Amino acid sequence: MSKLMLDNKQIESSKLYAKGIVDDVMTYIYKHTTVSVERSILRLLGIDGINQFDVPFVNVIVDHVKEKADLSKGVCHYISYAIEEYDLTPNELAKKISDEKISLKRYQHMPKSPFMNKLTPYFNTSMTKIKEMTKIRENELAKKQRKETPEKYVIVATGNIYEDIKQAVSAAKKGADIIAVIRSTGQSLLDYVPYGPTTVGFGGTYATQENFKLMRKALDDVSKEEGRYIKLVNYASGLCMPEIAAIGALERLDMMLNDSLYGIIFRDINMKRTFVDQYFSRVLSAYARITINTGEDNYLTTSDAFDHAHTVIASQMINEKFAEIAYMDESLMGLGHAYEISPEIENSFLYEVAQAELSRALFPNAPLKYMPPTKHMTGNIFMGMVQNALFNITAVTTKQNIHLLGMLTEAVHTPFMSDRALALDNAAYIEKAFKNFGDEISYKPDGIINNRAQSVLSNAHALLEDIKNEGLFRTLEKGTFAGIKRLENQGKGLDGVFEKHKDYQNPLLDMMLLELKEAK
């Protein structure tokens, strides 16, 4: 039960507004597909590899259909006809299409394909593997009692997957529960997924299927040594959002950053492209039982965290409804927020507690992802250690779930292993010292924390009402979130969005949705 004195009618009304906002966007999403959704379908048909020019076969096929035929019918239309005619596997077809020995153009004007059953065995192979990966995760997690305190989450970001593995293993042995491999700078703007193991990332390591496989193996090995399951995180975002969700599901990633607004606001990816991609990626994540992490914390790096706290709450509610419509269980909704109020504000700690308690109260069954202070970290490592300690106290006290540890060297350099070790020591000490502190305290009904929480909720309610009336597209054009304006028909990737033809078919999506509905 929440300790806050909140207006429950306002909560219900806010969530109804959020549902209306998402339902409005879904009318667009249902009618459209994208190049990255279609490439995801090809990946889950078992198509893998690159041609002699290092172009992924999935890109070769989608570009081939886009340029020579009509992608609005969907890749399943073309591949099902081709398998019926040539009796080849999807991967064999891909190679021949790449070598220009087969053209799919001939099927452009064919009627709605009656050969979708030809794809079923290939989809079943991928779906069976995803289910097996899910079962492994569930079995491993069941071996240990669920943590009552937040899971300690740290990042590695060397650019070299083999160095990342060393740092990830060291962090796991020091007590980390979750390892996130930061993506190479700019990968979200690549309209393809790099191939194979990589050692040349800048500011992070490329997200590739082979890199996922290597890190998963390393974390499985250290999990056995430590006697507890170490979770792996990467980024299903950017122009290849659904593809990375697909390979993450196949390689047993446990969490993926997957936000409906982040790429639009912070990477200038077209909003139509992002919304269509995020829906398919979330259905995949729900099917694979991958916990998503949303990116509301980033709003507060460009907007003032005190004045714009309500935008975080509004976005969390919108993200929740986008996840619900993809049949995602609440236990997989890692809604994000952050400890970013200026330490110069009197009683800043109380305001941070209010914000964290508010998120906890609004989403009681969600594994909230709590982000550390970054905006007001100055390079003074001693002050940084204190700021992170207050953040850690808030995380434990308000029962956050996914606790991304702050680094004392934030604003100085990419963390050394020693910096990460100190962060883990700080969090472990506070986790033990404050374990039941939140159960022992209550808040004054008319005190700072309760008044602040209700004020933020009221502002979020008003904002959601405005968004419901204007529509989410118009809201993004106004720069409501993070103070950054994005236009509906501009941004990267718009040329990869297609209105579905009346004969469009996607049996994979139908299969996943049917199973998710039955599971509900």
Side-chain angles (χ1 to χ4, degrees):
M1 295 292 291
S2 171
K3 297 195 289 287
L4 297 177
M5 309 288 286
L6 299 173
D7 183 338
N8 289 322
K9 289 185 178 178
Q10 208 167 56
I11 294 172
E12 291 173 13
S13 177
S14 296
K15 293 204 173 189
L16 281 174
Y17 285 140
K19 184 180 185 304
I21 292 162
V22 168
D23 286 345
D24 180 54
V25 178
M26 290 305 299
T27 61
Y28 181 87
I29 292 171
Y30 289 138
K31 294 176 183 177
H32 292 79
T33 186
T34 72
V35 289
S36 38
V37 167
E38 299 302 312
R39 294 195 302 253
S40 305
I41 295 166
L42 294 174
R43 287 181 182 276
L44 291 167
L45 277 171
I47 294 177
D48 189 24
I50 54 178
N51 67 10
Q52 66 268 38
F53 305 109
D54 294 335
V55 179
F57 284 129
V58 295
N59 284 72
V60 171
I61 294 174
V62 169
D63 290 348
H64 169 82
V65 174
K66 182 181 173 186
E67 292 164 13
K68 299 184 182 299
D70 179 6
L71 191 59
S72 72
K73 287 191 170 184
V75 291
C76 291
H77 172 87
Y78 297 93
I79 299 298
S80 60
Y81 266 113
I83 288 177
E84 168 64 17
E85 179 173 355
Y86 294 103
D87 194 26
L88 297 171
T89 68
N91 222 42
E92 290 167 342
L93 267 177
K95 291 173 184 175
K96 289 190 177 293
I97 293 165
S98 181
D99 292 338
E100 298 185 350
K101 293 179 180 177
I102 289 177
S103 174
L104 300 177
K105 183 178 180 179
R106 61 193 298 169
Y107 310 120
Q108 178 179 350
H109 300 295
M110 294 286 197
K112 187 174 182 177
S113 175
F115 304 119
M116 286 295 148
N117 63 316
K118 296 288 182 180
L119 306 181
T120 303
Y122 302 104
F123 283 138
N124 282 344
T125 297
S126 293
M127 295 298 103
T128 298
K129 182 176 180 183
I130 289 171
K131 287 177 180 175
E132 288 170 353
M133 288 298 186
T134 303
K135 190 67 175 174
I136 291 170
R137 180 194 303 119
E138 290 174 348
N139 288 343
E140 289 300 316
L141 290 173
K143 291 177 182 177
K144 289 288 181 181
Q145 187 174 358
R146 185 176 177 179
K147 280 194 72 173
E148 296 178 22
T149 48
E151 292 184 294
K152 294 185 282 294
Y153 174 129
V154 299
I155 63 174
V156 294
T158 70
N160 181 327
I161 187 60
Y162 301 105
E163 290 300 316
D164 279 354
I165 286 171
K166 293 175 187 175
Q167 295 214 3
V169 168
S170 73
K173 289 185 174 182
K174 187 64 178 173
D177 302 297
I178 304 168
I179 306 293
V181 182
I182 298 296
R183 260 191 335 199
S184 184
T185 300
Q187 184 176 349
S188 62
L189 303 182
L190 299 180
D191 218 341
Y192 67 93
V193 178
Y195 188 78
T198 65
T199 59
V200 292
F202 179 77
T205 302
Y206 285 102
T208 74
Q209 188 163 353
E210 186 61 23
N211 283 348
F212 289 2
K213 191 189 300 279
L214 289 168
M215 185 60 82
R216 178 73 272 165
K217 169 75 166 59
L219 293 185
D220 283 349
D221 289 345
V222 76
S223 293
K224 289 176 185 175
E225 292 177 25
E226 294 295 303
R228 56 193 175 86
Y229 184 70
I230 311 299
K231 295 179 181 178
L232 174 58
V233 186
N234 212 288
Y235 291 64
S237 60
L239 291 171
C240 294
M241 186 189 297
E243 288 183 85
I244 295 178
I247 62 177
L250 290 167
E251 300 302 338
R252 193 171 23 97
L253 270 72
D254 305 291
M255 296 182 183
M256 303 205 83
L257 278 76
N258 184 254
D259 189 86
S260 61
L261 300 175
Y262 174 85
I264 301 165
I265 297 167
F266 294 99
R267 295 293 179 266
D268 194 21
I269 296 172
N270 175 263
M271 60 183 76
K272 293 176 177 176
R273 171 73 175 266
T274 297
F275 288 134
V276 177
D277 283 350
Q278 69 84 27
Y279 173 63
F280 192 77
S281 69
R282 286 195 180 180
V283 172
L284 261 170
S285 295
Y287 188 89
R289 295 201 59 78
I290 292 172
T291 300
I292 62 166
N293 295 166
T294 62
E296 283 82 5
D297 56 283
N298 292 280
Y299 301 169
L300 306 183
T301 61
T302 54
S303 295
D304 181 79
F306 186 84
D307 293 336
H308 296 274
H310 63 290
T311 65
V312 170
I313 298 299
S315 179
Q316 286 175 325
M317 289 187 175
I318 291 169
N319 258 313
E320 178 190 42
K321 296 306 173 186
F322 270 124
E324 284 179 1
I325 214 158
Y327 292 93
M328 180 166 280
D329 191 80
E330 285 179 283
S331 65
L332 303 176
M333 299 180 195
L335 303 172
H337 60 132
Y339 189 103
E340 289 285 17
I341 293 174
S342 170
E344 298 301 317
I345 293 177
E346 191 173 72
N347 285 318
S348 63
F349 177 72
L350 298 186
Y351 294 126
E352 294 286 13
V353 170
Q355 185 79 6
E357 284 282 19
L358 177 58
S359 289
R360 182 73 285 164
L362 295 175
F363 311 102
N365 301 313
L368 299 178
K369 183 190 177 189
Y370 199 27
M371 297 288 284
T374 57
K375 184 176 183 178
H376 298 287
M377 298 288 275
T378 64
N380 178 341
I381 60 172
F382 304 105
M383 180 62 178
M385 201 68 160
V386 173
Q387 287 173 266
N388 286 327
L390 292 175
F391 162 67
N392 294 341
I393 291 168
T394 309
V396 176
T397 301
T398 62
K399 301 186 185 301
Q400 304 298 307
N401 301 91
I402 303 165
H403 181 194
L404 198 153
L405 302 190
M407 296 293 140
L408 75 164
T409 49
E410 182 74 39
V412 180
H413 58 233
T414 301
F416 296 136
M417 283 193 280
S418 55
D419 302 331
R420 200 178 290 114
L422 288 169
L424 285 160
D425 283 342
N426 183 328
Y429 170 55
I430 287 168
E431 176 185 53
K432 186 176 290 185
F434 280 81
K435 182 177 179 182
N436 295 109
F437 181 70
D439 301 324
E440 294 288 319
I441 63 171
S442 58
Y443 307 125
K444 291 169 60 178
D446 195 35
I448 292 172
I449 290 174
N450 260 305
N451 285 337
R452 170 63 176 173
Q454 180 55 50
S455 172
V456 173
L457 173 61
S458 295
N459 288 336
H461 177 266
L463 175 58
L464 286 162
E465 183 178 14
D466 288 344
I467 298 172
K468 173 66 176 67
N469 292 333
E470 290 190 320
L472 190 51
F473 288 178
R474 174 65 184 138
T475 298
L476 290 164
E477 288 193 322
K478 287 171 59 181
T480 299
F481 295 108
I484 298 172
K485 298 179 181 180
R486 298 301 184 198
L487 299 181
E488 179 178 341
N489 292 310
Q490 291 186 14
K492 303 168 183 71
L494 179 60
D495 62 343
V497 181
F498 297 85
E499 185 172 0
K500 292 176 182 176
H501 190 277
K502 65 181 178 63
D503 292 336
Y504 179 87
Q505 295 179 86
N506 183 349
L508 174 63
L509 181 60
D510 296 340
M511 181 193 309
M512 289 191 294
L513 288 174
L514 179 61
E515 289 192 37
L516 288 167
K517 286 176 188 176
E518 290 175 347
K520 286 283 185 184

